[in-house]
Amino acid sequence: RVSLIEKQAFVLRFRKRLEGYKIHPFNFHEQDIFDMVGMIEKNFSRTDHQEVFESLLLIHEGQCMSLKQQYEILTEKQILKLSFEKGAASVVADAYLVLGELNEEELRFYTGYGIALQLADDLQDMSEDLMNNHHTLYNCHTGSEKRWLDTKKLMCLCDEILTYVPMEDTVLKRQMIRLLRNSLQLLICDAIYEQRTFFSKDAIQRVNQMQSVRLEHHWKLKQISQKWMKILKP
């Protein structure tokens, strides 16, 4: 319900705040966001940790560019480029906020991991994005066959990215790769089941064979846990 003009006005003020300017917030929502930037500034000096703030600006730039996915007709190649940049920037910035600085090996892994998570997120939000006229890799296809092909590519991409987990301890690295692989596989397979009307029965069957617990049962467990969360929330 927020207009394009309002979004554009906000992102301009937000960028100035990320650059270090003291910008007066337009509303309480902006006040919260600007306060969070202030918290980062207290933990990281802009002089000593320039990469932290550069990475935050990269997220901002990626989010601004992704507005094109909602208001413009883009080619598949353009959509993929936007998704890659936005996803990579978000996780790289997370890594900088935790570690303060990254070496080349860490930067390569977090870039790839961010891309994988963004594509998985696009898959998970396919129905919602369609309703909001937000074009992503998975909802720009009219046929389920191409969508399934791109999903299999995502699974292969995840396997490739995990080979770059930046750990020297080989035993710990192997355990971390196994943990992340299981996590990513469940995330993607669960997203496919959530969006099962967009996939063929054969694809759903193949995905089910990849899991220890059938996705139908996993989905039911998720519904139960969500009800519990609502009860537990104050």
Side-chain angles (χ1 to χ4, degrees):
R1 285 176 285 200
V2 180
S3 71
L4 178 60
I5 293 172
E6 288 176 291
K7 287 178 183 178
Q8 288 174 331
F10 164 70
V11 297
L12 286 172
R13 289 195 299 275
F14 188 29
R15 181 177 184 87
K16 286 290 184 186
R17 183 67 192 89
L18 288 172
E19 288 174 342
Y21 295 97
K22 300 301 179 186
I23 305 296
H24 184 72
F26 188 72
N27 52 41
F28 289 116
H29 183 60
E30 281 190 18
Q31 179 69 64
D32 286 342
I33 294 169
F34 291 175
D35 286 347
M36 291 175 79
V37 177
M39 288 169 66
I40 295 170
E41 288 171 329
K42 286 179 182 177
N43 283 277
F44 296 100
S45 158
R46 285 185 174 271
T47 306
D48 299 333
H49 294 95
Q50 291 181 27
E51 294 92 344
V52 171
F53 297 95
E54 285 172 8
S55 67
L56 291 172
L57 281 167
L58 277 175
I59 290 186
H60 180 267
E61 194 174 305
Q63 293 288 351
C64 291
M65 292 299 290
S66 73
L67 286 175
K68 290 184 176 183
Q69 290 175 261
Q70 194 167 350
Y71 296 100
E72 295 181 25
I73 303 299
L74 303 172
T75 65
E76 184 179 323
K77 189 174 181 180
Q78 288 172 317
I79 289 171
L80 204 58
K81 184 176 185 294
L82 289 171
S83 296
F84 271 43
E85 289 175 353
K86 185 170 70 169
S90 63
V91 173
V92 166
D94 285 342
Y96 271 119
L97 287 171
V98 172
L99 301 172
E101 55 187 40
L102 302 176
N103 59 36
E104 190 175 336
E105 187 183 11
E106 290 167 336
L107 185 60
R108 178 174 59 179
F109 170 70
Y110 291 119
T111 295
Y113 193 56
I115 290 168
L117 289 178
Q118 180 62 53
L119 293 176
D121 187 59
D122 289 342
L123 181 60
Q124 203 169 32
D125 296 339
M126 196 162 28
S127 300
E128 189 179 342
D129 286 335
L130 267 174
M131 284 194 303
N132 294 321
N133 200 34
H134 187 83
H135 305 290
T136 68
L137 176 67
Y138 297 102
N139 66 25
C140 70
H141 302 315
T142 52
S144 61
E145 192 174 328
K146 180 68 168 71
R147 189 176 294 115
W148 174 234
L149 177 63
D150 282 339
T151 306
K152 287 192 290 184
K153 285 182 180 179
L154 172 58
M155 292 177 184
C156 292
L157 178 65
C158 290
D159 281 341
E160 175 68 19
I161 288 162
L162 292 180
T163 62
Y164 297 115
V165 168
M167 286 184 171
E168 292 182 7
D169 186 321
T170 53
V171 175
L172 186 59
K173 180 174 181 174
R174 194 162 54 245
Q175 292 172 337
M176 182 59 71
I177 288 172
R178 189 186 303 121
L179 173 67
L180 291 175
R181 181 177 286 120
N182 290 340
S183 175
L184 284 167
Q185 188 185 86
L186 182 58
L187 176 67
I188 294 166
C189 292
D190 185 60
I192 293 168
Y193 190 77
E194 287 275 356
Q195 307 294 336
R196 55 193 175 278
T197 55
F198 296 96
F199 289 91
S200 68
K201 288 182 179 179
D202 179 61
I204 300 299
Q205 188 177 358
R206 285 169 179 264
V207 169
N208 260 320
Q209 290 169 353
M210 295 168 64
Q211 302 299 316
S212 303
V213 178
R214 288 178 62 83
L215 289 172
E216 180 185 356
H217 300 309
H218 178 262
W219 185 79
K220 286 177 182 176
L221 286 172
K222 201 164 74 166
Q223 304 310 304
I224 293 168
S225 66
Q226 285 173 352
K227 286 180 183 177
W228 286 349
M229 287 301 292
K230 285 179 182 178
I231 294 168
L232 291 170
K233 274 186 179 180

